[in-house]
């Protein structure tokens, strides 16, 4: 029997997603609300020990050009919990490292896999994967952004503060990929975000411009200041991230010097609300971007953040993959 031609997945999903998840800014606000609701339900199911396996028979590929603990393990276990399986593709062991093109690799992997998580350097690379793959491509971190982290963090903030709209999130430190995605997420959900960073380490200007357009619609407020005390003033949540992101090792000396005044410590935390939560996407460097007392203190929600990667990414997988079940079965 002749095989049915494989359709491309270039269609909007239930909640207005495109085929892929490459940035938070590309996701409609309504879709983010639905993802949060779905993640809460999946978390509750998991807590009850209930089985929910809508992705049985499907395979998620993970292609990582940078190290990872949380993203890899939460996607792999999440896919398994949803009934599917996952396949970690080490760059060293696939033909990409010997010059096979992204276009050919993406087209071939699309014949085996149902979705692909890519962790890489330039945002243009993950966009290239998405363009050439007929399956959903999920951004597992680029130099520009870390959308799965920020979406998961929305869940953590919502759990801890009961809402997102009007909640003030302060981010202090390097205006990096995590900061960029948090800005996009705050803009989409009507939060107040204040970024305290040196003038040479501001978040991406394109991200800020687009986020300000979203903020005009949602009532979000976005501030960038070089004064960390201004950023954290009356904050409900205070966030920091490593000073030397993956791929920036050669700038280490400059970064450590420029970012030293932005350390998240007990003195800086005094400016935030007394019940402010402390956030960090991890891995952390105690004594650099954050002190051990703050990171491991009573206000810290870092383990909730790490756990919520699992629940949010399961919601993302269900969103992107649940309508593909019949195709997978007919392969
Ligand atoms: N926060 C985060 O993405 O961690 P990993 O680099 O361990 O995946
Ligand atoms: N900004 C960090 C995040 C790690 C999860 C990095 O890119 O290395």
């Amino acid at each position: 029997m002749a095989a049915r031609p494989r359709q491309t997945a270039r269609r909007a999903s239930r909640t207005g997603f495109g085929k892929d998840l490459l940035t938070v800014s590309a996701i409609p606000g309504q879709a983010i609300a639905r993802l949060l609701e779905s993640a809460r339900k999946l978390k509750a199911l998991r807590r009850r020990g209930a089985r929910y396996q809508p992705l049985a028979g499907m395979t998620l590929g993970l292609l990582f050009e940078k190290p990872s603990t949380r993203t890899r393990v939460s996607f792999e276990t999440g896919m398994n919990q949803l009934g599917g399986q996952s396949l970690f593709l080490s760059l060293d062991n696939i033909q990409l490292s010997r010059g096979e093109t992204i276009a050919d690799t993406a087209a071939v992997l699309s014949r085996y896999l149902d979705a692909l998580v890519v962790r890489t350097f330039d945002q243009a690379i993950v966009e290239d994967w998405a363009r050439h793959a007929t399956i959903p491509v999920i951004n597992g971190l680029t130099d520009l952004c870390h959308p799965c982290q920020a979406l998961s963090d929305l869940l953590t903030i919502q759990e801890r503060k009961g809402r997102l709209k009007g909640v003030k999130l302060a981010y202090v430190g390097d205006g990096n990929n995590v900061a960029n995605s948090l800005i996009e997420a705050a803009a989409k959900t009507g939060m107040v975000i204040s970024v305290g960073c040196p003038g040479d380490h501001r978040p991406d200007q394109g991200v800020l411009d687009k986020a300000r357009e979203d903020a005009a619609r949602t009532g979000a407020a976005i501030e960038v200041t070089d004064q960390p005390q201004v950023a954290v003033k009356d904050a409900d949540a205070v966030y920091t991230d490593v000073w030397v992101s993956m791929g920036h090792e050669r700038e280490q000396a400059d970064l450590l010097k420029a970012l030293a005044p932005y350390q998240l410590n007990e003195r800086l935390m005094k400016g935030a609300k007394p019940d402010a939560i402390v956030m960090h996407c991890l891995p952390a460097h105690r004594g650099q971007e954050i002190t051990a007392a703050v990171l491991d203190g009573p206000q810290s929600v870092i383990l909730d953040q790490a756990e919520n990667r699992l629940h949010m990414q399961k919601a993302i997988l269900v969103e992107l993959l649940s309508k593909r079940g019949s195709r997978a079965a007919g392969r």
Side-chain angles (χ1 to χ4, degrees):
M1 193 171 73
R4 263 185 304 155
R6 196 170 163 88
Q7 298 166 7
T8 69
R10 294 190 192 284
R11 47 104 185 110
S13 66
R14 283 179 292 147
T15 57
F17 261 85
K19 174 176 80 73
D20 311 296
L21 196 167
L22 303 184
T23 64
V24 176
S25 81
I27 311 173
Q30 246 187 341
I32 293 178
R34 291 269 305 259
L35 273 183
L36 285 163
E37 190 187 331
S38 170
R40 282 195 302 275
K41 286 184 181 156
L42 288 164
K43 186 170 182 172
L45 281 179
R46 180 84 191 142
R47 287 277 194 272
R48 289 207 303 273
R51 270 161 72 94
Y52 176 62
Q53 304 206 308
L55 305 187
M58 295 196 181
T59 306
L60 175 69
L62 295 106
L63 201 151
F64 283 28
E65 294 191 62
K66 294 175 177 174
S68 170
T69 299
R70 282 144 288 270
T71 307
R72 176 181 176 177
V73 176
S74 55
F75 263 115
E76 289 199 14
T77 51
M79 189 64 184
N80 295 346
Q81 288 169 16
L82 291 167
Q85 56 185 328
S86 58
L87 192 61
F88 186 76
L89 299 163
S90 158
L91 199 67
D92 300 342
N93 294 323
I94 61 171
Q95 298 285 9
L96 203 66
S97 61
R98 296 183 65 249
E100 187 165 16
T101 63
I102 289 179
D104 286 350
T105 312
V108 168
L109 291 181
S110 297
R111 298 291 179 107
Y112 303 132
L113 302 171
D114 295 280
L116 182 65
V117 183
V118 176
R119 170 169 282 201
T120 187
F121 293 89
D122 285 356
Q123 183 71 9
I125 300 175
V126 77
E127 286 168 4
D128 217 19
W129 280 102
R131 199 167 32 255
H132 293 290
T134 57
I135 54 174
V137 171
I138 299 170
N139 182 347
L141 181 146
T142 60
D143 293 345
L144 181 71
C145 59
H146 197 1
C148 296
Q149 179 70 54
L151 291 168
S152 309
D153 292 335
L154 289 180
L155 178 61
T156 306
I157 296 169
Q158 195 178 54
E159 284 174 350
R160 292 291 181 149
K161 296 292 157 190
R163 65 191 205 291
L164 292 173
K165 208 167 173 58
V167 169
K168 179 172 176 181
L169 171 63
Y171 176 97
V172 285
D174 185 25
N176 61 16
N177 45 10
V178 171
N180 288 332
S181 286
L182 289 172
I183 290 166
E184 294 181 350
K188 288 278 177 183
T189 56
M191 295 176 69
V192 176
I193 183 160
S194 183
V195 178
C197 61
D200 288 346
H201 299 279
R202 285 167 56 91
D204 181 81
Q205 193 55 46
V207 164
L208 284 170
D209 292 344
K210 173 71 175 60
R212 288 195 167 114
E213 285 172 23
D214 284 332
R217 280 190 296 275
T218 63
I222 301 166
E223 174 183 56
V224 182
T225 169
D226 60 5
Q227 305 290 313
Q229 303 83 353
V230 171
V232 301
K233 189 169 177 349
D234 297 328
D236 298 290
V238 185
Y239 203 120
T240 192
D241 183 21
V242 292
W243 285 345
V244 186
S245 285
M246 291 178 281
H248 292 259
E249 290 77 10
R250 271 181 301 178
E251 300 154 50
Q252 172 154 343
D254 287 348
L255 284 162
L256 297 191
K257 189 160 169 241
L259 292 162
Y262 296 83
Q263 185 189 60
L264 183 52
N265 52 36
E266 284 167 302
R267 187 170 41 80
L268 191 59
M269 277 305 293
K270 285 202 170 74
K273 286 188 181 155
D275 65 347
I277 54 174
V278 168
M279 305 183 75
H280 193 307
C281 62
L282 304 179
H285 295 81
R286 290 168 178 80
Q288 284 191 12
E289 75 273 7
I290 190 164
T291 57
V294 174
L295 188 74
D296 304 316
Q299 289 164 269
S300 173
V301 298
I302 54 171
L303 292 180
D304 288 354
Q305 286 180 263
E307 178 185 335
N308 283 337
R309 297 291 304 275
L310 174 73
H311 308 300
M312 175 51 75
Q313 289 162 191
K314 283 169 72 178
I316 290 167
L317 290 171
V318 170
E319 170 61 35
L320 292 175
L321 285 175
S322 57
K323 283 205 170 157
R324 297 171 57 85
S326 51
R327 294 184 44 226
R331 184 180 289 153

